[in-house]
Amino acid sequence: MSDELEILKEVTDQDYKYGFVTDIESDVAPKGLTEDTVRLISKKKNEPKWLLDWRLKAFRHWETLNQAPQWAHVKYPEINFQDIIYYAAPKKKPELESLDEVDPELLKMYDKLGISLEEQKKLSGVAVDVVLDSVSVKTTFTKKLKELGIIFCSFSEAVQEYPELVKQYLGTVVPYTDNFYATLNSAVFSDGSFCYIPKGVRCPMELSTYFRINEANTGQFERTLLIADEDAYVSYLEGCTAPIRDENQLHAAVVELVAHKGAVIKYSTVQNWYPGNKDGVGGIYNFVTKRGICKGDHSKISWTQVETGSAITWKYPSVILKGDYSVGEFYSVAVTNNHQQADTGTKMLHIGKNTMSTIISKGISGGFSNNSYRGLVRIGKNAHNARNFSQCDSLLLGDRCGAHTFPYIETSNKTAVVEHEATTSKVGEDQIFYCNQRGLDTEQAIGMIVNGYCKEVMKQLPMEFAVEAQKLLSISLEGSVG
Amino acid sequence: MLSVKDLKASVEETAILKGINLEVKAGEVHAIMGPNGSGKSTLASVLAGREEYDVTGGSATFDGEDLLEMSPEDRARKGMFMAFQYPVEIPGVNTTNFLRTSLNEVRKFNGLEPLNGADFLKLMKEKMNVIEIDKSLTTRSVNEGFSGGEKKKSEIFQMAILEPKLAILDETDSGLDIDALRIVAEGVNRLKSSDNATVIITHYQRLLDYIVPDFVHIIYDGRIVKSGGKDLALTLEEKGYDWIKEEFGEMTEA
């Protein structure tokens, strides 16, 4: 019982774990980004000097970069980076008395997703009397992982508890000089997840940020580092299908994955951030750098993403295939509706011999949206017998949206085999009418047709995630035709 | 059950149906025959609620309700089924799931509990005894890669699951070999009852060797120009459509 109480306390008093002594509500840095901001963030987090130095290097590099990259097929007003608050202590969410106070639009969405009442309350910040369900999940979960030597905690916690591991791997896959947003993230990252799977350990459950309920508020500049040691296996779920309303418009996250010899990392994302309203007002700008390295021979990294949210998505989960016989996979469904814009894809960088990569990308555009696939397959000169297969399909709903494909292939080795297939299709009125004639309304019909179209990708998702993701797809496309 | 009065419809300003009258009662089988381009399939599409057709006049009621006011899905939910001449492929959508979703929508509309997976599979098994259909078809994507015959069999199988009040078979016999034709026809016969009705749209008489109609209507240039018993189909087979064209051609030109 006392254990339970302790966990309950830990969960309910979660703000305290950040360790601020000052008044939480007013703990906000002034607008703009200077060296002082970086120092403040590092100090607030009680970070060791090496990490501060790393942040500062990133900041100084960022100062030399004149502007954000312009090459993506997206349009948005220029961001004033000095008009952003880079540090705000996690604010206590305003606690609501009941679900009656929650935005009815949000509740409608929860219902459609089939989220239980208790969970609806949790997600929308309503005070929940009994969190025992999730607490018990959390307890068994933490205990089991500990037994296996698996580390799964917040990034800040890892910096304090496992500084050597963090120091060893941080920035090794996405260096702070990588790109404008990665550099920015390196200087000011707020928090995120850290995960380490020891040698030979097969993580017995899907690791999900969703279970780490105390991490719901990681903010704009999230940083994730995931290491699978030799012959380890892990399946990691990021995000959740429930809609998240966030006041921060700019998000620039970095995710780094390291797979040692024989290790397998499966990383699944469902992204459902606020896409803005029907007229394209508001919504999140999501500029993410995600990259994994297959460091050892016979290692494998597999990215699966279902992207339905954000006003702008700029995201290219990539794999560096360094080890011989390593395997990289990218399965993606990107949905844009109304005025959303997505420019997403992957990079498969073949370095080792007999490396193999697969790219399956399904873009779906409705409304006035624009959806681009951008991908690079590069075969290095020593990557003998490297193989790639890419399939990029676009599906159009209505005639006011756009689908674009920008595939790049660079090969420096004659033994490589690279295949690329692409299709563009429209949801036919014939298909919709056929479904209508069987009693399905048009929205159901589109949901069904689109889910069928994405099946190859959806089946890569863990089961319970897949079911919710299917519903999410249908919901995201509501009102996309006609 | 179905009452069509002076129904007129056009596509992109071109009049196709020029005043159709048709009464279908429970327990009856009607055959609608006619040469190509006479408006047979248009009639089926208008009754099922296809958007491309503009109804420009007349009325149609289904079980006493104004059919033309209903959305296509509501027509289906109220018990109207159309077997498509060209069933549409829906890649990635499993036939069994599609059918279960479909049946449960119909049930929901009629105030019935949805069937769970186990009950639905039981129902499917039952219906497979009524319609000879290869079980593997139900595990594949809807109509994807089906042969012509498989598509038509699948349509009749769907009809067996949904148990409609009114089934409209739009040239279901086209493209069928004699074995498939027999299976489809036997299926339709087994599903026949005193509570439901069938409208068979066809160009040829041969399907009517297997499904004996109570009434035969000949449609020509957007009108039903002749109605009679099953013998009319035989006369048509013997004399061909030229006979109709000669007799009624002038009238409709005028």
Side-chain angles (χ1 to χ4, degrees), chain B residues 162-180:
Chain B
L162 295 173
E163 297 179 332
K165 279 190 222 155
L166 174 68
I168 302 169
L169 312 184
D170 187 10
E171 309 224 12
T172 297
D173 52 338
S174 70
L176 287 189
D177 62 35
I178 203 76
D179 289 329

Side-chain angles (χ1 to χ4, degrees), chain A residues 309-342:
Chain A
S310 297
I312 296 174
T313 299
W314 181 97
K315 183 180 168 188
Y316 315 90
S318 304
V319 184
I320 302 168
L321 296 143
K322 186 157 176 271
D324 295 344
Y325 296 95
S326 58
V327 175
E329 292 176 340
F330 175 73
Y331 296 96
S332 169
V333 169
V335 179
T336 52
N337 196 5
N338 299 321
H339 290 268
Q340 281 178 279
Q341 308 175 68

Side-chain angles (χ1 to χ4, degrees), chain B residues 131-239:
Chain B
I131 313 292
E132 286 175 55
I133 184 170
D134 188 349
K135 201 172 171 234
S136 72
L137 289 186
T138 59
T139 62
R140 284 160 58 185
S141 295
V142 177
N143 294 319
E144 195 186 26
F146 287 21
S147 71
E150 285 171 338
K151 281 183 181 168
K152 298 296 173 73
K153 277 189 237 171
S154 169
E155 292 290 289
I156 302 305
F157 183 66
Q158 293 183 37
M159 173 176 151
I161 296 276
L162 295 173
E163 297 179 332
K165 279 190 222 155
L166 174 68
I168 302 169
L169 312 184
D170 187 10
E171 309 224 12
T172 297
D173 52 338
S174 70
L176 287 189
D177 62 35
I178 203 76
D179 289 329
L181 187 72
R182 185 185 48 80
I183 291 169
V184 164
E186 276 175 9
V188 173
N189 284 332
R190 283 183 196 148
L191 295 171
K192 216 165 85 177
S193 79
S194 55
D195 299 324
N196 62 26
T198 312
V199 174
I200 299 165
I201 290 172
T202 182
H203 185 82
Y204 302 103
Q205 197 271 335
R206 61 175 194 160
L207 180 62
L208 305 181
D209 287 341
Y210 299 92
I211 309 171
V212 181
D214 301 304
F215 301 94
V216 174
H217 311 277
I218 296 171
I219 192 168
Y220 183 66
D221 195 24
R223 290 187 185 91
I224 288 178
V225 292
K226 219 171 181 61
S227 294
K230 62 178 190 243
D231 296 341
L232 183 56
L234 295 172
T235 314
L236 205 56
E237 182 78 357
E238 212 177 286
K239 293 191 177 172

